[in-house]
Amino acid sequence: MSSRLVVETREIDPVEDLLAYADPSRPLAWLRRGDGIVAVGDGVVETIRIPAGAAPMRSAAIAAAWRDLAQDAEIDDELALPGSGLVAFGALTFDEGSSADSVLVVPALVIGRHHGRTWLTRIRSSSTSHPALDPQSEASTIGYGPHWAGTVGPGAQSPQGYQDSVRQALARIADGELSKVVLARDLTGSIPAGSDLRRLVRALSTGYPDTWAFAVDGLIGASPETLVTVQQRTVTARVLAGTIGRGADADADTAASAHLASSTKDLDEHEYAVQSVLASLRPHTRALAASEQPFLLKLPNLFHLATDVEGELADGGSSLDLVGALHPTAAVAGTPTSAAIAAIRELEPFDRGRYAGPVGWVDAAGNGEWAIALRCAQFTPAETDIAVTAYAGAGIVAGSDPESELLETRVKFRPLVDALA
């Protein structure tokens, strides 16, 4: 008989700082307002890695591989809370053609917290014997390393090159090739070898508590945009499209929010994104509904137009199946999708990797929380230091101004650049 996973979850005393248990060099974390799940140390039981060219649809391949792994698992979980029991952390590429890997990581130990309750989960192979789970002796904190600072500057796409790409996109829109395309630019740099990356996750999590702060396989960020959440067959999603920077004072803030709420360009861009999500979810859900008008989501550095969507899972699918159906949304690719992806490949001089791809977690029942990997950077160990590539993008529609779009990317870079400094 082949080996299967054996999973035990036990409630433990409250823990204030989940990140204190994470691996400093390769943290695995998913946090929002202090709740979430974090891998304890560096132990990994299983990694599902789908490299470029391994499957025509990597999102479907990873969903099938997870279903195969989870279906035979022996799970002892009396809490049944979001993130308890068998879980995997995931980060998928934006483009199926990317040279980066899509990955699901199953840690050996996970510590989690949800609405005041804290737990420890141990995951192991049935072929390895182990004494009963003892939460008090299994998990210990790791002291934070010293503060560090990184430096980033223009990457493959310069500020001038970005504006040129926007102009080319506007010409394609005027020619009727597409209605919207999201164009990104990159910043590249480095941080010192041995830096404690948990410090960056903590800075983003505390500075932007209403976002999903994440760390998966070197991808670290704080995303304001939920791709999809599934819990007990209830499906929810939050669509963000249309952005303006916050004002320097209360009056400027009010003026900025009023401008965004009445901007035809931003409202059109937002509607494209909402319709894209609804069309993707309808085949998999019933009783699907979205608010009629977008609301203003206020973050520390900007306003977004936002719409919440809710429905009920109609088939035997999982959150990973919905991730595959939804991604890429019009909010991060454009409309129509195929034309937007083709334009991105031609107009961006870099491979996005996992930027703007799905990031989150999934459990054995298919529940999970998935965001779009925005306000993020990929950290890659190099010979003498750790290479960093950060990304930010803006939606281009008829009426977009190249300089304004460049400024929007600067605003979106700020959370990460500030945290790196």
Side-chain angles (χ1 to χ4, degrees):
M1 181 178 175
S2 63
S3 175
R4 67 185 190 283
L5 296 181
V6 177
V7 184
E8 298 167 90
T9 294
R10 295 290 180 268
E11 189 158 9
I12 62 173
D13 292 337
V15 168
E16 189 62 34
D17 181 12
L18 298 179
L19 277 172
Y21 291 84
D23 179 22
S25 60
R26 295 193 73 81
L28 277 170
W30 178 263
L31 298 166
R32 187 168 187 264
R33 290 202 166 277
D35 281 1
I37 52 175
V38 167
V40 178
D42 60 359
V44 171
V45 175
E46 190 83 37
T47 300
I48 299 171
R49 192 175 290 276
I50 313 290
M57 287 291 292
R58 284 194 269 183
S59 56
I62 216 163
W66 174 249
R67 194 172 286 113
D68 289 345
L69 182 68
Q71 66 183 359
D72 295 325
E74 180 185 316
I75 302 170
D76 177 5
D77 172 21
E78 297 175 356
L79 281 76
L81 292 171
S84 68
L86 174 61
V87 292
F89 294 81
L92 282 60
T93 59
F94 169 79
D95 189 337
E96 294 284 358
S98 170
S99 62
D101 295 346
S102 289
V103 66
L104 280 182
V105 183
V106 183
L109 278 175
V110 181
I111 192 166
R113 183 168 63 209
H114 180 75
H115 292 175
R117 298 182 73 183
T118 308
W119 65 88
L120 186 71
T121 296
R122 184 178 68 192
I123 306 168
R124 61 180 177 87
S125 167
S126 61
S127 61
T128 61
S129 59
H130 217 289
L133 177 63
D134 178 7
Q136 306 312 317
S137 63
E138 297 263 355
S140 56
T141 59
I142 303 169
Y144 283 92
H147 286 277
W148 51 266
T151 56
V152 290
Q157 180 68 292
S158 68
Q160 184 58 51
Y162 182 76
Q163 292 181 79
D164 291 342
S165 291
V166 171
R167 292 185 187 95
Q168 293 178 58
L170 287 169
R172 295 183 183 211
I173 291 168
D175 288 343
E177 284 183 38
L178 65 172
S179 304
K180 173 189 174 181
V181 62
V182 179
L183 291 181
R185 67 188 184 97
D186 59 331
L187 297 176
T188 58
S190 64
I191 64 171
S195 294
D196 189 336
L197 292 175
R198 297 175 301 171
R199 287 197 174 277
L200 176 61
V201 184
R202 189 166 67 169
L204 291 170
S205 179
T206 55
Y208 298 85
D210 287 320
T211 67
W212 299 109
F214 57 86
V216 181
D217 203 39
L219 182 73
I220 297 176
S223 176
E225 184 152 6
T226 308
L227 181 61
V228 68
T229 296
V230 178
Q231 190 62 34
Q232 309 301 342
R233 306 197 71 76
T234 296
V235 179
T236 55
R238 171 167 288 181
V239 184
L240 303 185
T243 306
I244 196 168
R246 297 283 302 273
D249 54 40
D251 289 342
D253 225 21
T254 301
S257 62
H259 176 82
L260 181 61
S262 60
S263 164
T264 302
K265 175 257 181 189
D266 288 291
L267 289 166
D268 285 349
E269 179 187 340
H270 187 79
E271 186 62 18
Y272 285 134
V274 172
Q275 292 307 318
S276 160
V277 167
L278 290 175
S280 298
L281 284 178
R282 278 192 190 102
H284 304 275
T285 56
R286 48 180 170 254
L288 188 64
S291 46
E292 287 189 16
Q293 298 294 327
F295 63 92
L296 281 173
L297 179 67
K298 182 167 67 173
L299 296 174
N301 61 324
L302 44 75
F303 291 106
H304 284 299
L305 291 175
T307 293
D308 285 336
V309 175
E310 184 169 333
E312 184 186 346
L313 200 60
D315 51 27
S318 72
S319 61
L320 269 173
D321 294 314
L322 295 186
V323 163
L326 281 166
H327 179 76
T329 68
V332 292
T335 308
T337 305
S338 57
I341 294 291
I344 288 167
R345 287 171 177 167
E346 293 172 30
L347 297 177
E348 290 181 358
F350 54 82
D351 183 337
R352 286 188 178 187
R354 298 158 178 166
Y355 163 69
V359 61
W361 63 267
V362 62
D363 74 5
N367 298 312
E369 293 174 324
W370 293 86
I372 298 173
L374 304 173
R375 319 293 192 271
C376 64
Q378 181 72 47
F379 293 79
T380 308
E383 286 186 13
T384 57
D385 50 25
I386 300 169
V388 182
T389 306
Y391 304 89
I396 313 304
V397 295
S400 288
D401 171 64
E403 189 170 351
S404 297
E405 303 302 338
L406 177 67
L407 291 173
E408 181 175 320
T409 65
R410 285 180 181 158
V411 171
K412 290 175 175 176
F413 270 127
R414 206 177 85 194
L416 201 78
V417 170
D418 286 354
L420 285 171

